[in-house]
């Protein structure tokens, strides 16, 4: 910082200003002001604080701060006045990053959860395709950004910061692991089991109301998808929020296993239809032939009177308890 | 003896006949099962047995209601014999029949049915006489059983349609026909019991006669009504389904309603006629002693059963408080689907079940949607759907898309389930399961015959010794005459034999439901629901 002082071109004697502060001190003061006003400082504030400092010096210092990535410049919407404010994530943590990379990174950061498409980056940063590609490769190599594929358009690449979770609208649903796009079967199984337990408990509670008649028993064994979602979220089984739609997909999977029945009912308060679920027993508990070895035999089609597979020497019968 | 492989259904029928009636009858039956129709000469050459044997076998089969005859179309002087397939299969269910009768009526009716099943066809007096003899032997009492009780039991069985009259021979005076024609009775007359005098029978019983000899109604012959027993077994399944879906009292209610439906429609149809609310309520009130809570919540139970998705009751009209009927095709479709789901679950796993059920509910679905809705990973979805296809649970239908003639033709591949076909497939494997169990059982018992006989003798002698209060060391010494290993082997064989018997009746349960589905599914739709 001290050397910068001597290297600065000094337009006349006003570099050393009236209250005797050096460039570095002015910079430090500016940074203090920026911290004080996190929403941004305008020219006016700078003037009131340091009236004696030359405008040119202020501009120079601000420019330098901007190029170091500590400060960014905005234009106020109404008055078209210029503001400067401190950057929350200083991109200067990347050592030796050049301007292009910083610009691109800035844009990607802005996009946040949603990610940004390469074409958008190109438009906003007005870099050429080749340069952009080089920059993106470099940043990826440094593990600062990553790309994800969106469900809506599987061919396009979206870029976002490395440690951010992609938003729901991109991955479509939360069942996919965002690292290698694998289906999260364990999560599904866990939630599946949990929802079924809940419905079973509700059914048992309902059974205790036997004396009030079967209609009451049946109606009180229903749980709406909203209630199930509420309870699941309270239990904090997963890190992120569960929406009603997610729970409904899990409950539909239970319907397809025959354990749960679905029906729609109108909510008491508003007029919309609410999906209700309850645990039911199948009319026939199980197909009796599945209790015999032949019912689940993998080679039943090859079993016959001659050949290696005969009921006379069937080893499944031998092992049957 | 010709050697050929029978289809699983025919194989089970052959095994049953073989088991109960012996080899000679079995061979004749096998020939007829395969050939469907056969004349006397055909059977003789086909089976390679003597004419005398074939004639006796056929006589047995006809008397047991397993074979029927009719004049050949081309040459009316020759008789065509054919197997009654259903009755042959029902041989398996005789034990269940006895249990059902005992449950509904009592032990005297059970004895009547037992004797009738054993003989095949008999007149009322003969049947009563023989049952009385059997009861006498069993009870070992000085007092002789009063045949009037049995006569009343007989009448009860006839009113409930569990026994039915055999068709009578038409006696035409014009000329004697070579092939006797049989005439079926009208529906009402089939169950009318002739007036009988019990005194002659009582006299014979007192004299301890073994045969009844000449009696007045020897021309009126009765046999067991298999259809009625089928209906009864089916009703048990339906009542259990109702009990599982709602609760026990709903099961009772459904049982009563089934009775009412049966009274309203004697013939078997795809859907029953409606029964009014008032009638049902009356029936429940009469039966109030058994389940008082049923009366209290009667309307609620009826409503819950109606709204249940299995389709056990459906409301068909509003007159007289509401008309309630059942569509057997729908109910059995749901039951058959439950069976299929269970089979898929046991054979392939939960995920495969999800895929199967969702394809069935969605009618047509493609691979992507299937994977999303079933919540399985794409790789699993592919393997399981192809596995199901391999085993004929799923089918693919191709729809071409686009009309461009350039380049490869793209097409949709949609999965769907053809329910009757899948049911037939599972039915086929159920029959196979049944015949395998029977084959293994007979094989085991024949191979180990000597060992089992030795064991039986051993047990008998041991009992005798114990009965005679022989000294302990003598008993111990004798019990060592059979080695521990032998005893273990015998225990193992007997256990497997029991399991196999159980397996046979379990396979039969599944077969009953699937067959009922196919039967009702193929019946024509009713034109309209008739008014009461």
């Amino acid at each position: 910082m001290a050397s910068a002082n001597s290297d600065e071109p000094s337009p006349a004697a006003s570099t050393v200003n009236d209250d005797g502060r050096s460039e570095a001190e002015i910079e430090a003061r500016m940074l203090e002001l920026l911290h004080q006003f996190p929403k941004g400082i305008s020219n006016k504030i700078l003037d009131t604080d340091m009236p004696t400092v030359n405008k040119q010096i202020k501009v120079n210092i601000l420019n330098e701060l901007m190029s170091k990535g500590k400060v960014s410049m905005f234009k106020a919407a109404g008055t078209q006045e210029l503001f400067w404010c401190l950057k929350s994530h200083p991109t200067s943590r990347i050592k030796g990053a050049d301007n292009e990379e910083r610009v691109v990174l800035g844009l990607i950061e802005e996009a946040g959860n949603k990610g940004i498409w390469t074409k958008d980056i190109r438009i906003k940063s007005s870099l050429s395709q080749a340069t952009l590609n080089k920059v993106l490769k470099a940043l990826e190599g440094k593990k600062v950004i990553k790309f994800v594929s969106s469900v809506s358009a599987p061919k396009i690449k979206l870029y976002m910061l490395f440690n951010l979770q992609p938003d729901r609208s991109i991955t479509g649903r939360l069942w996919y692991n965002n690292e290698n796009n694998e289906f999260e079967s364990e999560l599904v199984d866990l939630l599946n089991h949990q929802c079924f337990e809940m419905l079973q408990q509700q059914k048992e509670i309902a059974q205790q109301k036997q004396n009030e008649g079967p209609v009451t028993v049946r109606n009180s064994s229903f749980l709406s998808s909203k209630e199930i979602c509420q309870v699941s979220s309270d239990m904090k089984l997963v890190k992120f929020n569960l929406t009603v739609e997610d729970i409904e997909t899990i409950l539909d999977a239970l319907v397809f296993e025959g354990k749960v029945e679905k029906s729609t009912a109108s909510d008491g308060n508003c007029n919309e239809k609410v999906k209700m679920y309850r645990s039911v027993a199948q009319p026939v508990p199980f197909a009796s032939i599945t209790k015999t070895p032949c019912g689940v035999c993998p080679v039943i089609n090859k079993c016959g009177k001659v050949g290696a597979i005969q009921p006379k020497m069937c080893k499944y019968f031998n092992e049957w308890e | 003896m010709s050697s050929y492989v029978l289809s699983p259904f025919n194989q089970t029928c052959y095994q049953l006949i073989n088991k109960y009636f012996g080899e000679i009858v079995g061979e004749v039956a096998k020939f007829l099962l395969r050939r469907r129709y056969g004349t006397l000469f055909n059977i003789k050459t086909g089976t390679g047995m003597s004419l005398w044997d074939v004639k006796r076998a056929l006589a047995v089969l006809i008397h047991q209601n397993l074979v029927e005859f009719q004049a050949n179309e081309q040459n009316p002087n020759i008789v065509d014999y054919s197997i009654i397939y259903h009755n042959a299969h029902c041989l398996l269910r005789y034990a269940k029949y006895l249990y059902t009768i005992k449950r509904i009526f009592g032990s005297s009716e059970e004895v009547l049915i037992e004797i009738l099943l054993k003989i095949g066809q008999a007149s009322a007096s003969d049947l009563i006489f023989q049952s009385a003899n059997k009861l006498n032997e069993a009870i070992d009492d000085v007092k002789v059983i009063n045949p009037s009780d049995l006569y009343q039991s007989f009448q009860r069985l006839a009113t409930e349609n569990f026994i039915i009259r055999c068709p009578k021979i038409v006696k035409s005076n014009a000329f004697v026909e070579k092939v006797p024609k049989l005439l079926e009775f009208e529906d009402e007359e089939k169950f009318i019991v002739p007036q009988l005098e019990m005194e002659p029978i009582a006299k014979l019983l007192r004299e301890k006669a073994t045969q009844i000899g000449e009696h007045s109604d020897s021309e009126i012959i009765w046999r067991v009504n298999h259809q009625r027993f089928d209906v009864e077994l089916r009703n048990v399944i339906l009542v259990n389904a109702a009990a599982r879906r709602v609760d026990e009292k709903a099961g009772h209610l459904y049982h009563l309603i089934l009775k009412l439906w049966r009274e309203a429609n004697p013939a078997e149809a795809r859907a029953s006629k409606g029964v009014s609310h008032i009638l049902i309520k009356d029936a429940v009130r009469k039966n109030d002693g058994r389940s008082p809570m049923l009366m209290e919540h009667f309307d609620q139970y009826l409503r819950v059963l109606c709204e249940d998705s299995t389709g056990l009751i459906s409301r068909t009209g509003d007159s007289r408080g509401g008309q309630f009927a059942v569509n057997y095709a729908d109910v059995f479709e749901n039951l058959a689907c439950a069976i299929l789901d269970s089979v898929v679950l046991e054979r392939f796993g939960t995920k495969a079940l999800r895929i199967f059920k969702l394809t069935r509910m969605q009618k047509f679905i493609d691979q992507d949607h299937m994977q999303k809705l079933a919540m399985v990973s794409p790789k699993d979805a592919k393997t399981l759907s192809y596995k199901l296809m391999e085993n004929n649970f799923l089918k693919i239908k191709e729809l071409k898309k686009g009309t461009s003639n350039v380049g490869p033709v793209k097409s949709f591949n949609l999965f769907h389930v053809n329910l009757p076909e899948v049911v037939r497939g599972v039915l086929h494997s159920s029959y196979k399961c049944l015949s395998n169990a029977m084959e293994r059982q007979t094989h085991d018992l024949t191979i180990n015959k000597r060992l089992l006989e030795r064991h039986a003798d051993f047990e008998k002698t041991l009992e005798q010794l114990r009965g005679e209060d022989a000294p302990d060391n003598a008993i111990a010494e004798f019990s060592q005459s059979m080695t521990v290993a032998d005893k273990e082997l015998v225990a193992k064989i007997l256990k497997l034999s029991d399991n196999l018997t159980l397996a046979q009746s379990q396979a039969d349960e599944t077969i009953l439901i699937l067959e009922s589905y196919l039967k009702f599914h193929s019946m024509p739709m009713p034109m309209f629901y008739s008014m009461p």
Side-chain angles (χ1 to χ4, degrees):
Chain A
M1 271 298 170
S3 53
N5 209 353
S6 46
D7 291 341
E8 278 286 306
S10 39
S14 57
T15 30
V16 182
N17 36 24
D18 298 348
D19 50 11
R21 275 192 289 193
S22 61
E23 288 262 346
E25 286 163 345
I26 298 174
E27 208 181 303
R29 179 63 197 148
M30 264 195 212
L31 282 171
E32 271 178 42
L33 278 172
L34 285 166
H35 274 296
Q36 251 185 338
F37 299 99
K39 287 228 169 113
I41 52 172
S42 68
N43 233 346
K44 276 200 199 111
I45 303 173
L46 281 174
D47 278 337
T48 45
D49 190 73
M50 310 178 231
T52 47
V53 179
N54 198 347
K55 201 168 181 176
Q56 185 62 32
I57 302 175
K58 278 191 236 168
V59 166
N60 278 342
I61 296 175
L62 281 169
N63 272 338
E64 209 181 299
L65 283 173
M66 273 207 293
S67 69
K68 281 194 197 135
K70 287 193 184 163
V71 167
S72 58
M73 189 165 85
F74 295 102
K75 225 177 196 175
T79 59
Q80 299 290 321
E81 223 182 289
L82 294 170
F83 275 88
W84 293 267
C85 73
L86 208 52
K87 262 214 177 142
S88 43
H89 299 285
T91 45
S92 57
R93 63 194 157 144
I94 313 160
K95 299 290 181 268
D98 53 354
N99 283 336
E100 284 150 9
E101 286 189 3
R102 228 174 289 153
V103 162
V104 166
L105 198 58
L107 285 169
I108 293 179
E109 247 179 71
E110 268 176 42
N113 250 355
K114 298 244 168 11
I116 188 166
W117 188 18
T118 42
K119 196 168 177 189
D120 282 337
I121 305 182
R122 190 151 44 95
I123 295 172
K124 287 198 185 155
S125 64
S126 46
L127 291 172
S128 73
Q129 182 69 25
T131 341
L132 183 62
N133 281 346
K134 194 177 62 159
V135 166
L136 285 171
K137 268 211 182 57
L139 285 172
E140 265 187 84
K142 290 182 200 154
K143 293 256 179 205
V144 181
I145 63 170
K146 66 176 174 191
F147 80 86
V148 294
S149 35
S150 154
V151 138
S152 43
K155 296 287 165 55
I156 64 173
K157 284 179 177 182
L158 294 174
Y159 285 94
M160 66 177 67
L161 285 182
F162 200 70
N163 48 2
L164 284 183
Q165 297 272 4
D167 193 34
R168 189 68 62 71
S169 58
I170 313 181
T171 55
R173 56 195 162 280
L174 60 94
W175 313 122
Y176 281 89
N177 199 345
N178 47 8
E179 305 272 306
N180 14 356
N181 228 22
E182 269 174 20
F183 188 76
E184 295 216 13
S185 333
E186 293 104 26
L187 177 62
V188 169
D189 283 340
L190 177 70
L191 284 169
N192 200 318
H193 188 72
Q194 196 54 48
C195 293
F196 184 57
E197 283 290 315
M198 244 189 276
L199 286 168
Q200 280 283 74
Q201 274 173 358
Q202 185 67 23
K203 184 170 181 179
E204 276 165 34
I205 295 172
Q207 286 284 34
Q208 287 161 6
K209 296 189 193 169
Q210 280 266 350
N211 294 328
E212 296 170 32
V215 177
T216 327
V217 170
R218 186 191 62 172
N219 288 346
S220 48
S221 59
F222 274 113
L223 273 180
S224 76
S225 43
K226 277 190 200 147
E227 287 167 23
I228 299 177
C229 183
Q230 190 68 42
V231 179
S232 303
S233 311
D234 287 340
M235 281 202 242
K236 297 226 181 301
L237 288 167
V238 287
K239 320 181 263 269
F240 34 78
N241 288 332
L242 284 170
T243 63
V244 183
E245 282 87 27
D246 295 326
I247 287 292
E248 275 177 15
T249 47
I250 295 274
L251 288 165
D252 282 341
L254 278 171
V255 170
F256 292 133
E257 285 179 32
K259 293 182 185 167
V260 160
E261 199 181 60
K262 179 168 142 179
S263 81
T264 46
S266 51
D267 200 354
N269 301 330
C270 33
N271 288 327
E272 54 184 53
K273 291 278 181 190
V274 171
K275 291 190 189 144
M276 313 280 279
Y277 294 86
R278 71 175 175 129
S279 162
V280 287
Q282 283 293 331
V284 178
F286 50 81
S288 309
I289 64 165
T290 56
K291 297 295 164 193
T292 67
C294 293
V296 292
C297 179
V299 288
I300 183 99
N301 290 328
K302 301 191 181 127
C303 181
K305 291 202 113 151
V306 292
I309 304 177
Q310 292 185 35
K312 294 181 188 173
M313 47 179 97
C314 174
K315 67 169 191 165
Y316 293 117
F317 274 133
N318 290 339
E319 293 164 9
W320 191 24
E321 279 302 309
Chain B
M1 300 288 180
S2 47
S3 60
Y4 38 72
V5 181
L6 295 171
S7 77
F9 175 68
N10 289 344
Q11 180 74 12
T12 52
C13 295
Y14 163 63
Q15 278 170 321
L16 285 164
I17 295 178
N18 209 352
K19 187 167 146 189
Y20 288 121
F21 302 110
E23 268 195 46
I24 298 178
V25 180
E27 283 300 315
V28 171
K30 192 174 178 181
F31 180 86
L32 284 174
L33 280 165
R34 193 159 175 264
R35 289 294 201 92
R36 187 82 172 86
Y37 290 107
T39 63
L40 189 60
F41 197 64
N42 279 350
I43 302 173
K44 177 181 173 307
T45 42
T47 54
M49 294 195 293
S50 71
L51 201 60
W52 171 233
D53 280 341
V54 172
K55 278 188 188 174
R56 272 196 315 174
L58 280 171
V60 167
L61 286 169
I62 293 174
H63 198 69
Q64 288 285 337
N65 306 310
L66 293 168
V67 157
E68 55 187 2
F69 58 88
Q70 62 197 62
N72 196 330
E73 283 154 2
Q74 282 113 16
N75 184 351
N77 289 332
I78 297 185
V79 179
D80 264 340
Y81 298 97
S82 59
I83 284 248
I84 308 177
Y85 288 93
H86 182 71
N87 290 1
H89 185 75
C90 286
L91 278 168
L92 189 62
R93 296 183 184 155
Y94 281 5
K96 276 197 194 145
Y97 288 177
L98 292 176
Y99 179 71
T100 317
I101 289 288
K102 187 155 186 172
R103 189 171 50 91
I104 299 178
F105 295 107
S107 45
S108 52
E109 286 86 352
E110 188 193 350
V111 171
L112 280 170
I113 293 283
E114 193 182 333
I115 303 279
L116 192 54
L117 285 173
K118 202 163 123 193
I119 305 178
Q121 296 173 356
S123 65
S125 319
D126 195 10
L127 187 61
I128 293 173
F129 177 72
Q130 294 207 21
S131 316
N133 262 342
K134 176 137 194 219
L135 277 173
N136 275 344
E137 280 171 39
I139 296 180
D140 216 14
D141 213 344
V142 181
K143 247 193 325 195
V144 175
I145 297 284
N146 191 353
S148 346
D149 292 337
L150 285 171
Y151 180 56
Q152 276 172 3
S153 308
F154 189 90
Q155 278 175 323
R156 269 201 293 268
L157 285 172
T159 23
E160 287 289 328
N161 302 348
F162 282 105
I163 48 180
I164 191 173
R165 279 183 70 168
C166 299
K168 65 180 177 199
I169 297 179
V170 173
K171 283 204 177 89
S172 58
N173 294 324
F175 57 98
V176 176
E177 291 198 4
K178 282 265 171 117
V179 181
K181 269 214 204 46
L182 291 175
L183 182 63
E184 279 278 354
F185 287 99
E186 295 296 312
D187 276 339
E188 304 85 40
E189 289 183 34
K190 274 186 189 165
F191 305 104
I192 296 181
V193 182
Q195 282 295 348
L196 291 180
E197 289 294 325
M198 286 293 112
E199 251 315 300
I201 300 180
K203 200 173 101 181
L204 284 169
L205 287 171
R206 280 195 290 271
E207 292 167 9
K208 300 220 191 294
T210 44
Q211 282 206 0
I212 192 167
E214 280 293 320
H215 49 277
S216 54
D217 62 326
S218 50
E219 299 279 310
I220 304 174
I221 306 184
W222 299 82
R223 62 175 169 88
V224 168
N225 186 2
H226 290 289
Q227 265 94 348
R228 179 70 182 86
F229 277 104
D230 277 350
V231 168
E232 200 54 46
L233 291 174
R234 234 185 279 141
N235 286 352
V236 167
I237 295 176
L238 290 173
V239 166
N240 282 342
R244 275 182 68 84
R245 287 298 274 198
V246 187
D247 65 13
E248 289 254 351
K249 300 182 198 71
H252 286 151
L253 175 63
Y254 199 64
H255 182 71
L256 293 167
I257 301 181
L258 278 170
K259 227 194 258 181
L260 290 170
W261 275 326
R262 208 174 55 241
E263 283 162 21
N265 338 256
E268 295 234 308
R270 192 187 173 108
S272 70
K273 286 191 205 151
V275 161
S276 68
H277 184 107
I278 301 173
L279 261 175
I280 303 177
K281 201 153 188 177
D282 273 337
V284 171
R285 203 173 291 129
K286 276 185 217 160
N287 212 5
D288 207 15
R290 281 173 71 188
S291 43
M293 239 209 320
L294 185 54
M295 201 56 214
E296 206 183 308
H297 300 292
F298 170 71
D299 282 321
Q300 291 199 23
Y301 273 111
L302 204 56
R303 192 174 136 204
V304 169
L305 277 173
C306 272
E307 290 174 7
D308 195 61
S309 56
T310 329
L312 289 164
I313 308 183
S314 50
R315 201 189 168 107
T316 50
D318 289 316
S319 61
R320 301 177 79 185
Q323 294 288 322
F324 298 94
V326 66
N327 187 338
Y328 287 112
D330 282 342
V331 179
F332 275 103
E333 186 174 324
N334 283 321
L335 292 180
C337 287
I339 295 257
L340 291 178
D341 286 344
S342 167
V343 170
V344 169
L345 176 64
E346 297 287 335
R347 273 200 206 161
F348 305 111
T350 341
K351 299 199 168 146
L353 170 61
R354 275 189 228 157
I355 291 177
F356 178 66
K357 202 165 162 117
L358 106 86
T359 316
R360 203 180 68 220
M361 286 165 93
Q362 300 271 357
K363 302 281 190 302
F364 287 95
I365 192 168
D366 69 335
Q367 181 74 277
D368 279 330
H369 281 126
M370 181 199 285
Q371 186 260 315
K372 279 190 195 129
L373 283 173
M375 308 295 291
V376 294
S377 65
K379 199 174 92 168
D380 274 342
K382 284 201 185 90
T383 14
L384 288 170
S385 56
Y386 295 150
K387 212 170 184 181
L388 285 172
M389 228 175 80
E390 203 183 0
N391 288 289
N392 296 323
F393 282 96
L394 290 182
K395 284 172 90 162
I396 282 198
K397 188 177 174 75
E398 253 188 78
L399 290 175
K400 304 252 183 325
K401 61 171 152 179
T403 50
S404 63
N405 297 324
V406 183
V409 179
K410 298 185 207 141
S411 55
F412 285 110
N413 284 328
L414 298 172
F415 286 96
H416 68 116
V417 172
N418 183 349
L419 200 57
E421 201 179 300
V422 179
V423 166
R424 273 192 282 267
V426 176
L427 197 56
H428 181 93
S429 37
S430 311
Y431 283 126
K432 197 155 189 192
C433 178
L434 187 57
S435 78
N436 281 352
M438 285 203 280
E439 194 179 322
R440 177 63 186 244
Q441 197 177 30
T442 42
H443 172 80
D444 262 354
L445 293 176
T446 21
I447 290 245
N448 299 304
K449 196 165 159 185
R450 271 188 60 200
L451 180 62
L452 289 167
E453 275 174 7
R454 211 158 57 100
H455 180 80
D457 288 335
F458 170 75
E459 288 286 319
K460 211 163 74 175
T461 339
L462 204 60
E463 276 303 309
Q464 259 183 336
L465 281 179
R466 287 217 179 95
E468 288 167 12
D469 275 335
D472 279 337
N473 49 354
I475 295 182
E477 218 181 290
F478 180 70
S479 64
Q480 280 178 16
S481 64
M482 224 172 154
T483 59
V484 174
D486 273 346
K487 284 186 195 159
E488 274 181 18
L489 187 59
V490 167
K492 195 169 146 198
I493 295 168
L494 288 175
K495 187 161 175 229
L496 184 59
S497 180
D498 284 337
N499 276 345
L500 287 168
T501 322
L502 185 63
Q504 289 170 33
S505 75
Q506 280 174 337
D508 190 41
E509 275 177 41
T510 316
I511 287 172
L512 181 61
I513 299 181
L514 295 176
E515 267 183 353
S516 310
Y517 163 69
L518 285 173
K519 174 175 158 187
F520 286 113
H521 185 79
S522 59
M523 273 191 194
M525 297 273 258
M527 291 288 284
F528 48 82
Y529 289 124
S530 56
M531 295 288 285

